[in-house]
Each structure stands twice: as C-alpha cells, then as structure tokens.
Amino acid sequence: MSAFEVKSDPQLWEKLGMDVARFTGMPAMLTQAYTNIFLAQQNRPDRMAYFDGMVENIHTGRIHELMEAKEAGKPVIGTFCVYIPEEVVVAAGGVCVGLCGGAQGSIADAEKVLPRNICPMVKSAFGFKVGKICPYFQAVDFVYGETTCDAKKKTWELLDEYVPTHVMEIPQMKRDKDKALWLDEVKEFKVAVDKITGTETGFDELSQAIVTINAKRRALQRLNNLRHHTPSPISGKDMLLIEQIAFYDEPNRFVENVNALCDELEERIKQGVAVAPATTPRIMVSGTPMALPNWKLHNIIETSGGIVVNEESCIGTRYYKDLIDESSTTLEQQLERLTERYMKIDCSCFTPNTERIDQVLKEYEESGAEGIIDYCLQFCHTYNIEAVKLRKACEERGIPFMAIESDYSPDDVGQLKTRVEAFIEQIKG
Amino acid sequence: MSAFEVKSDPQLWEKLGMDVARFTGMPAMLTQAYTNIFLAQQNRPDRMAYFDGMVENIHTGRIHELMEAKEAGKPVIGTFCVYIPEEVVVAAGGVCVGLCGGAQGSIADAEKVLPRNICPMVKSAFGFKVGKICPYFQAVDFVYGETTCDAKKKTWELLDEYVPTHVMEIPQMKRDKDKALWLDEVKEFKVAVDKITGTETGFDELSQAIVTINAKRRALQRLNNLRHHTPSPISGKDMLLIEQIAFYDEPNRFVENVNALCDELEERIKQGVAVAPATTPRIMVSGTPMALPNWKLHNIIETSGGIVVNEESCIGTRYYKDLIDESSTTLEQQLERLTERYMKIDCSCFTPNTERIDQVLKEYEESGAEGIIDYCLQFCHTYNIEAVKLRKACEERGIPFMAIESDYSPDDVGQLKTRVEAFIEQIKG
C-alpha cells in the first residue's frame, strides 16, 4: 500500500495554463488524505486497485487522455449537474467530465469574487477555475451549466468571464409544457457539442452512446445492489469513491472495472467476506451531492461504528437509477426518450417533488438501512427545505432520521462526529 | 400627531381565525414604531395624512373592505411577487394583496418549521400564516406563489398545508420559448381566479383593469420623478411607505391620493420647500424588496445624514417602471401584451440579467443620486451574486457603491449605521 502515490506532471500542468507553483503541493496532500481515509480500511476488495489507480492518475493520466481526445478534434465538455446529458457528448466521440468541486482548498479563491454564504460546491468549483488549480477545468472546450439552483445559475454568469459557459434551462416543474422546453434545450446542447466536431451526430452514434451510458448506469445499479447485502461486502467510502469516479472516467473502461468488482463482491457474499460485521448499524445518506474529494460525512460515519449502505444523491442513485429506452427508431425519438429519462431525476429544484420522498423510502427499504442521515450542503435552500417533508415522512414510519448541514471545512468535524455517534447509538437501541 | 393610532378590532380578527390574544399587542407596537420613524420627521407633506391613515387601518378598515369583496363573491388573492399579474384579479372585480413579510415578529414562528438560514422575507411571510398573526393571510381565498427563488419555490410546498397555494412557474430565461411557457402560466392564473367568481373575465373587464393598474404605476412614476428633485420634497422613508402601501390599497383610491400628493410636491418644488437641504448626500437603494414594515435601512440612512432618492427594488421601480400596452383588440392580445410587460421586470432570478445593470445605472442618473447602497436580504443568492456585477459596473464609472446584506433583526443596526455613516462621509468627500 505504501506504493500508492498521486502522480505529478508539472509539464502537463504548465501546458494547461495552471498555477503550477501552487498546484505542486496538491498530489502529496491528496496522497496523504487518500491513504488515511481509503487505504487504511480493513479488508478492501482487491478490485478497488483500479479505482485507487484512477485517483493516482487523476491529475495526470486521465488528463492526458482528455488532451488526446481534444487533439483529435473531439469535444471535451465540463458539467456540474446530472441533468446535462453526457450521452450527447459521448455520441460525438467526446468526453464529458463533472467539474463539481468538493475541496476546501479552492474556497478562498472563490470568496475573492463570490459571496461567502453560498453553497461550498459552487464556490469550490468556481475557485478551482479562478485559482487555475484544476486540470479538468483547464482542459475543457467549454462548460455547460444549468439553472437548477440560484447559486449555480448566477455563478455561471461570472464563470463565463473565465471560461466559455453555456447554460441549459432546466424547468422547475414537470408538465408537458416543461417537457417541450426541456427537449428543446437538449437539442441546443447537441448543437453546441456538434459544433466542436463540425459534424452532426446522427442516430447511430447517439444509439451507441445511449447503450454505453446505460451500461455505466446498469453497472452502478448492480454494484449498489450487491453492496446492499448484509453484511456489506464493500464500504460506503469505496462506493462513494466509485460514484465520484463515474463522473470523470472513460465509460467503457469504467463499466468493465465496476463489473469486475461486482464479480468479486458476488464471490465475497458467497464466502461471507464482509468489510464490517452484520451487526454494524447501516446508514443511508440522502440529499446533496458529495463531489470529489468530499469524503467528510462518510468518513465520520464509518469511523464512528456505522457503515453507509446507500447514497440517495446526485453522486449516487440519482445518477444511475434511470435508464434511457434503447428501442428508438429515429433521432427525434431518441432525444425525446433521453429527455424523458432525465426528467425522472428527482432533484429538489423541482416543485412539487413528491416522487423524491417515495424514492428515498424505497431506497431505504432496498438497502436494508436502519436510519437516514440527510446531508445538505450549506446554504442549499431546496434540499434544506425539502428535508422538512422528508423528516416528516420518516417520523411517520418510525425511521430514524437526522439532518445535517455542512460545508468542506474541518471545523465542524468534531461536532458532527458527536451527533453521528449519538445517532448510531440510537439505532443500536 | 399624538392622535395617530393603529386601530384594533379583536372581533374581526376572531372571525378571521387569528391568534387574537397574541395579535392584540401588535397595534400598539406598530403605533410606536411608526410614530418614531415616520411622524417624527420634519416638514412632511400634508398629503401623507392619507397614507398615515392606511397604516392606522392596516389591520381593520382595509380588512373590512377585503371581507366585503369576499362576501360579494369576489376573489381575494395573496401574492408574494411582482410577477403575479394583479390586472387579472382586478379584472375579476377582486383584490390582490402582497403578503411578503417584513417583520421580525413572525420569524420565530417560521423557524419552528423552516431552516433558519433562508431569506427573512420568506420566513416572515410563512411565520405570519403559521402563527395566525396576519389578517391579510387569513382573508385570502388562496395564495399564488411563484418560482423566482429556491427558498420561495420550496416554501410554497409547505405553505400549502396551511392555505391553498398555487404556483406560477416563472421561467429563468427570456427567450421565445420562455415567453410561450410564461403566457400559458398567465392563462392558468386567470382560470384559477375566474373559478372563484364563476364567470370568465372578458376583454372589457381586463381592458379596464389594465387601465387601472397602469394608472397606479403611472402615479408612482410621477411621484418618483418629483421625488428626484434636488432638494427632495419628500423623504425616502415616506416614498418607501407609499411603495409598500401600493401592494394592499384599493387601486383607484390609491391613485387619487398619490396624484394629490404629487400636486402638493409640485407646489413644494415651486416654493422651494424640501425635507432636507440640497446638500444632503443623495443615496439610491438597489436590490431586494423591503416589505412592510421593513424600514430598517431607510431609517438608518435618513438618521445618518443622508436621504434616499430611489428604490431600484420590487417594492420600488421594478413594480412600476413598465406599463402594459393598452391598445389590444382581443383578449389573447391583451394577455400576450400583459406577459410582455411582466417579462420586462429585471429580477435577478433571470440569467442573464444584464438589463438590470443598465437599469440601475439609468435610475442612478435620473434620481440625481450620489451613491448606491445595494441591499440584499440575507441568504438571497441571486441578488447577492448579481451584486458582483453591479459593483464592477459602478466602480468602472466611479459611482460610490456599498453592498449590505441584512435581515430584520435589530442586532446589526449599530454596525450598519457605522458603515452607512462612513459611506455618507465618503460621498461628502
């Protein structure tokens, strides 16, 4: 395990226009954090080695692949939300990368421009660009934002001064007229992506891309189902890491490696190999996304005697619970069915959004969880207010429920740990 | 002046299902605040007497008028936003009242349900209903919310458990497809309003309503133009009060009284009568709305040696700067032109929203202001982030600019006063 090391490539970073002097310390910091949080775990599946490798190459190997795609005239698009359809980018032979920020290190950069009291994920992402300390941000042709929350919607206007930023309008309701507007937005996105290659992606390419991304979502579904086994054959932290890597890895390779891990987990389950005893309190996390390297809550839970068995989150089931119907016969139909699939995502930005409450309860049952910790990124109004309804639904069913709101700072870790420990004790009864 | 007294009517409040015991102390508190903030001003225009009367009758006389309309089968609709077209309600012979909350007193009620770190205006409004301490909230048939910000959008879902709450989807961009959706929303609003009377409002009624509300906006424009005179013939506090009363008074009577006040101000200007010397630093306020009785910032500015000469705000110019074209020949055309007028409102909820920056600069010129204080309700992400652009635009033009973010609590008054005094000193040079 001592061989693990997040790799450096100052020459590549220089080429990308990064602040190399400042970024140079990053790999060692990440190596240390990853070693403490992930490699220190007992009895990890062997197949996690691939994902460890993805972290080792996060600032080097994968960036080289992005640059190769770019040099071949393929689009490299940065996004911040599961509502931007990556199938369209993959159809054009391009790469879609999630740029959500999960690090405290770039917050101060952002706060030189943005207000302090907005979402840490938005600030972290913006800060990465402003500080020139994210190779992905530097590599993309453009970014495609969306209007899912106030903070993001308005930040894209400012981000556009640093990198070309297009915005997809995501409606706030899900009626027929909203679908019509949405479908049109998807078509505009396709036009923007196709502009880079100079050729219009057709039925066959989109068909193949839908199969590819469906396979990615299916693999994650399979993994999450296996992970629900009691006792869990994989930790919540490792699952979260894989869900995070899903946003920047090459899809086919990722599918192959997730499925290989699934094979191993099936074997583990047969042999009764687990990462924690069956009696370990099983926690489901719901709420806002945890962007790489935000492992704060999972690490707190899994070092406080619990195990995380589900992420009802954008970086979690919201990303992979729904598939696109593959039986379309025309491009128009493909885009319509794609839109229908994306409209099933139950983000709290919608009103009403009752299906999300049902989905949380369904995942709670399926994951064999014994309590829900609802995670809200600080100042995320929509999830924070929706938590009122979620709490009520859980209380009515006797489901242990705790809501936490947190940012990326280490300041509240002690306090959170105390609360999480008390919650786990409550579950143990 | 000692005759001023906000009136009580426990019998009426009882009938409205209010928490009478708790509400009984409210009139005396408001009497005192109003006396200190408004009546203590020197040299007020005589015609402010009407508006003083509107405050005296805020919980009694005006409520009786609402109840009379209701008993006559007319719709009484509560709204929270200048995007809900009151013309439609007036066309149906009904009453449209703004329910935005501007009081600290109901915040604690709201925080029993809602998160603490959201907009005080949303919390105050919600708290008024939950605590049953607002006769307007009790009198309405239903409320019509909208999707202009995350906090409001999600709070309407919870509010619906206390009072029937419909929601108009306001798009987040202003392209043709957004207009199509918007127009459809306006039509749905009309259907909801017409349902109460049981008759479909036609061309003639809407025509008359458009004339009525245009007259209200024109009267406010006239007043604001007169107010821009140096030295100002009316205080910023009195102007703000009138802008607030515009949201609950009967429109025709209001127009009559605003115009009578304008006549008086014209006379004052001729005779050189002013509320403060011409040398008094002239401050324009921009940003988020100040709902009744939120007089905090204006009171700070005008007791710190400055005078407020413009409110670029929903409770301010955003409410009255645009008129509806009155030359339509069909109902469909009326609704379309109405929608076009509403689409001109430059709320920060839109992206992009560059026209607002231009509008602020225009109003700055027109009002003869010498500095801008941008006011942001706490946790209002859209205005808070848009302030970054506004500050830049002001700095480029050498316009003194200060951004403040505040809630309804008295806790920061001392600190704000210090900052405002320093800002005014800076203007004085």
Side-chain angles (χ1 to χ4, degrees):
Chain A
M1 284 299 161
S2 60
F4 178 88
E5 192 186 344
V6 177
K7 298 202 174 63
S8 289
D9 190 341
Q11 219 174 338
L12 170 67
W13 301 338
E14 187 74 48
K15 201 173 130 194
L16 288 167
M18 292 179 67
D19 184 340
V20 180
R22 186 165 158 208
F23 195 67
T24 302
M26 209 69 104
M29 273 176 61
L30 187 54
T31 297
Q32 203 192 328
Y34 195 79
T35 303
N36 293 340
I37 296 172
F38 286 90
L39 305 185
Q41 295 177 101
Q42 298 297 308
N43 205 17
R44 291 177 85 211
D46 293 337
R47 290 294 191 162
M48 283 307 298
Y50 170 75
F51 303 99
D52 293 343
M54 281 303 297
V55 176
E56 286 186 306
N57 286 290
I58 191 166
H59 298 143
T60 51
R62 183 61 183 140
I63 303 299
H64 279 293
E65 291 176 353
L66 262 61
M67 299 310 287
E68 279 163 25
K70 243 181 123 160
E71 278 153 28
K74 302 299 183 188
V76 179
I77 315 292
T79 65
F80 303 94
C81 182
V82 293
Y83 279 115
I84 304 295
E86 62 186 300
E87 288 85 355
V88 171
V89 183
V90 171
V95 183
C96 196
V97 287
L99 293 178
C100 281
Q104 178 71 5
S106 57
I107 299 278
D109 296 84
E111 288 177 351
K112 286 178 194 161
V113 179
L114 290 172
R116 297 173 74 95
N117 59 358
I118 63 168
C119 168
M121 195 166 73
V122 175
K123 284 192 290 187
S124 174
F126 187 78
F128 274 126
K129 181 64 210 176
V130 173
K132 298 175 185 170
I133 47 175
C134 170
Y136 292 88
F137 240 127
Q138 298 304 111
V140 297
D141 291 301
F142 58 73
V143 304
Y144 224 88
E146 20 58 52
T147 59
T148 50
C149 74
D150 291 346
K152 288 208 279 183
K153 175 170 68 178
K154 297 304 283 186
T155 296
W156 307 151
E157 296 176 19
L158 303 177
L159 184 64
D160 191 42
E161 294 168 22
Y162 301 85
V163 55
T165 305
H166 303 276
V167 180
M168 180 179 287
E169 182 177 8
I170 304 293
Q172 309 180 72
M173 295 184 179
K174 291 181 175 177
R175 302 154 306 173
D176 284 347
K177 55 186 160 185
D178 299 298
K179 186 187 162 188
L181 188 142
W182 199 328
L183 177 58
D184 202 59
E185 293 292 295
V186 168
K187 288 176 182 173
E188 276 187 29
F189 177 58
K190 184 170 179 302
V191 169
V193 172
D194 285 350
K195 216 178 214 172
I196 296 175
T197 58
T199 53
E200 214 174 305
T201 304
F203 175 82
D204 290 340
E205 294 90 342
L206 188 55
S207 199
Q208 185 50 52
I210 288 172
V211 169
T212 300
I213 303 303
N214 270 354
K216 175 153 76 152
R217 303 198 209 273
R218 275 198 198 94
L220 286 163
Q221 287 174 5
R222 181 184 171 205
L223 180 61
N224 203 37
N225 285 338
L226 288 167
R227 174 248 200 138
H228 288 163
H229 189 266
T230 305
S232 291
I234 185 172
S235 71
K237 277 192 278 198
D238 279 333
M239 182 71 195
L240 174 62
L241 177 74
I242 295 165
E243 290 166 331
Q244 291 168 334
I245 289 171
F247 286 89
Y248 74 91
D249 197 4
E250 195 285 313
N252 294 305
R253 181 176 60 202
F254 178 81
V255 169
E256 202 178 298
N257 281 283
V258 170
N259 279 322
L261 173 64
C262 287
D263 295 341
E264 182 184 357
L265 297 192
E266 279 173 358
E267 199 52 44
R268 284 191 152 216
I269 290 171
K270 265 189 223 152
Q271 297 180 3
V273 179
V275 289
T279 52
T280 308
R282 297 167 68 81
I283 310 293
M284 165 169 157
V285 171
S286 63
T288 52
M290 296 167 174
L292 200 87
N294 177 10
W295 306 309
K296 186 172 163 178
L297 181 60
H298 277 54
N299 196 39
I300 289 171
I301 294 170
E302 299 198 333
T303 55
S304 301
I307 182 161
V308 183
V309 295
N310 199 71
E311 290 80 25
E312 188 275 334
S313 168
C314 307
I315 297 180
T317 56
R318 258 198 296 286
Y319 175 67
Y320 54 79
K321 75 180 173 60
D322 308 306
L323 302 177
I324 298 175
D325 186 325
E326 294 178 11
S327 68
S328 296
T329 53
T330 64
L331 182 62
E332 179 68 24
Q333 198 180 32
Q334 280 176 327
L335 293 171
E336 200 172 321
R337 288 181 174 178
L338 177 149
T339 305
E340 279 163 10
R341 182 263 164 202
Y342 276 84
M343 285 183 76
K344 285 186 195 154
I345 305 173
D346 48 5
C347 173
S348 62
C349 69
F350 285 91
T351 187
N353 192 39
T354 43
E355 60 265 43
R356 179 170 166 244
I357 309 296
D358 298 337
Q359 181 66 24
V360 169
L361 297 172
K362 182 169 169 266
E363 293 184 19
Y364 180 76
E365 288 301 323
E366 287 173 356
S367 63
E370 297 163 286
I372 294 177
I373 297 183
D374 191 60
Y375 171 71
C376 189
L377 284 161
Q378 212 175 19
F379 308 116
C380 176
H381 297 338
T382 62
Y383 278 97
N384 205 357
I385 298 176
E386 195 155 284
V388 175
K389 285 195 163 185
L390 195 51
R391 175 188 295 280
K392 198 178 160 209
C394 287
E395 281 173 354
E396 283 168 3
R397 287 159 185 83
I399 298 172
F401 179 89
M402 181 170 82
I404 73 152
E405 191 180 345
S406 184
D407 60 8
Y408 300 160
S409 132
D411 296 350
D412 62 351
V413 168
Q415 189 210 0
L416 286 178
K417 204 165 158 55
T418 304
R419 289 183 61 201
V420 168
E421 281 167 356
F423 186 68
I424 289 172
E425 283 307 314
Q426 178 199 336
I427 289 173
K428 278 187 188 164
Chain B
M1 284 299 159
S2 59
F4 178 89
E5 193 187 341
V6 177
K7 298 200 172 65
S8 288
D9 191 340
Q11 220 173 339
L12 170 68
W13 302 338
E14 186 74 48
K15 200 173 130 195
L16 288 166
M18 292 178 67
D19 184 340
V20 179
R22 185 165 159 210
F23 194 66
T24 302
M26 210 69 105
M29 274 176 62
L30 188 54
T31 297
Q32 202 193 327
Y34 195 80
T35 303
N36 293 341
I37 297 172
F38 287 90
L39 305 184
Q41 294 177 103
Q42 299 297 308
N43 206 18
R44 291 176 86 209
D46 294 336
R47 289 293 192 162
M48 282 308 297
Y50 170 75
F51 303 99
D52 294 343
M54 280 304 297
V55 175
E56 286 185 305
N57 287 289
I58 189 166
H59 299 143
T60 51
R62 184 59 183 141
I63 303 299
H64 279 293
E65 292 176 352
L66 262 61
M67 298 311 287
E68 279 164 26
K70 242 181 126 162
E71 277 153 28
K74 302 299 182 187
V76 179
I77 314 292
T79 65
F80 303 94
C81 181
V82 294
Y83 279 115
I84 304 296
E86 62 185 300
E87 288 85 355
V88 172
V89 183
V90 172
V95 183
C96 196
V97 287
L99 293 179
C100 282
Q104 177 71 4
S106 57
I107 300 278
D109 296 84
E111 289 177 350
K112 286 178 194 161
V113 179
L114 290 172
R116 297 173 75 93
N117 59 357
I118 63 168
C119 169
M121 195 166 73
V122 175
K123 283 192 290 186
S124 175
F126 187 79
F128 273 125
K129 181 65 209 177
V130 173
K132 299 176 186 169
I133 47 174
C134 171
Y136 292 88
F137 240 127
Q138 298 304 109
V140 298
D141 291 300
F142 59 73
V143 304
Y144 224 89
E146 20 58 53
T147 59
T148 50
C149 74
D150 291 345
K152 287 207 282 183
K153 176 169 66 178
K154 297 305 282 186
T155 296
W156 307 151
E157 296 175 20
L158 303 177
L159 184 64
D160 191 42
E161 294 169 22
Y162 302 86
V163 55
T165 304
H166 304 275
V167 180
M168 180 180 285
E169 182 176 7
I170 304 293
Q172 308 181 72
M173 296 186 178
K174 291 181 176 178
R175 302 155 305 173
D176 285 347
K177 55 185 158 183
D178 299 298
K179 186 187 161 188
L181 187 142
W182 199 328
L183 177 58
D184 202 57
E185 292 292 292
V186 168
K187 288 176 182 174
E188 275 187 30
F189 177 58
K190 185 170 177 302
V191 169
V193 172
D194 285 349
K195 215 179 217 172
I196 295 175
T197 58
T199 52
E200 214 175 304
T201 304
F203 174 83
D204 290 339
E205 294 90 342
L206 188 54
S207 199
Q208 185 50 52
I210 288 171
V211 169
T212 300
I213 303 303
N214 271 353
K216 175 154 76 153
R217 303 199 209 272
R218 274 198 197 95
L220 287 163
Q221 287 174 4
R222 182 185 169 204
L223 181 61
N224 203 37
N225 286 338
L226 289 167
R227 174 248 199 136
H228 289 163
H229 189 267
T230 305
S232 291
I234 185 172
S235 72
K237 276 192 277 198
D238 279 333
M239 182 71 195
L240 174 62
L241 177 72
I242 295 165
E243 289 165 333
Q244 291 169 334
I245 289 172
F247 287 89
Y248 74 91
D249 198 1
E250 195 284 314
N252 295 304
R253 181 176 60 202
F254 178 82
V255 169
E256 203 177 298
N257 281 283
V258 170
N259 279 323
L261 173 63
C262 287
D263 294 342
E264 183 185 357
L265 297 192
E266 280 175 359
E267 200 52 42
R268 284 190 153 216
I269 291 171
K270 266 188 218 151
Q271 297 179 1
V273 179
V275 291
T279 51
T280 308
R282 297 169 66 82
I283 309 293
M284 166 169 155
V285 171
S286 62
T288 51
M290 295 167 174
L292 200 88
N294 178 11
W295 306 309
K296 186 172 164 179
L297 180 60
H298 277 55
N299 197 39
I300 289 171
I301 294 171
E302 299 199 332
T303 55
S304 301
I307 183 161
V308 181
V309 295
N310 199 69
E311 291 81 24
E312 188 276 333
S313 167
C314 308
I315 298 180
T317 56
R318 257 197 298 284
Y319 174 68
Y320 55 79
K321 72 179 174 61
D322 309 305
L323 302 177
I324 298 174
D325 186 325
E326 294 178 12
S327 68
S328 296
T329 53
T330 64
L331 182 63
E332 179 68 25
Q333 199 180 31
Q334 280 176 327
L335 292 171
E336 201 173 318
R337 287 181 174 179
L338 178 149
T339 305
E340 279 164 10
R341 182 264 162 201
Y342 277 85
M343 285 183 74
K344 286 185 193 154
I345 306 173
D346 48 5
C347 174
S348 61
C349 69
F350 285 90
T351 187
N353 191 39
T354 43
E355 60 265 43
R356 180 171 165 242
I357 309 296
D358 298 337
Q359 181 66 23
V360 169
L361 297 172
K362 182 167 169 266
E363 292 184 19
Y364 180 77
E365 288 301 322
E366 288 173 354
S367 63
E370 298 163 285
I372 294 177
I373 297 183
D374 191 61
Y375 172 71
C376 189
L377 284 161
Q378 211 176 20
F379 309 116
C380 175
H381 298 338
T382 61
Y383 278 97
N384 206 358
I385 298 174
E386 194 156 284
V388 175
K389 286 196 161 184
L390 195 52
R391 175 188 295 279
K392 198 177 160 211
C394 288
E395 282 173 355
E396 283 167 4
R397 286 158 185 84
I399 297 172
F401 179 89
M402 180 170 83
I404 72 152
E405 191 181 348
S406 184
D407 60 10
Y408 299 161
S409 133
D411 296 352
D412 62 350
V413 168
Q415 191 211 358
L416 287 178
K417 204 165 159 54
T418 304
R419 290 183 61 201
V420 168
E421 282 168 356
F423 186 69
I424 289 171
E425 283 307 314
Q426 176 200 339
I427 289 174
K428 279 187 185 163

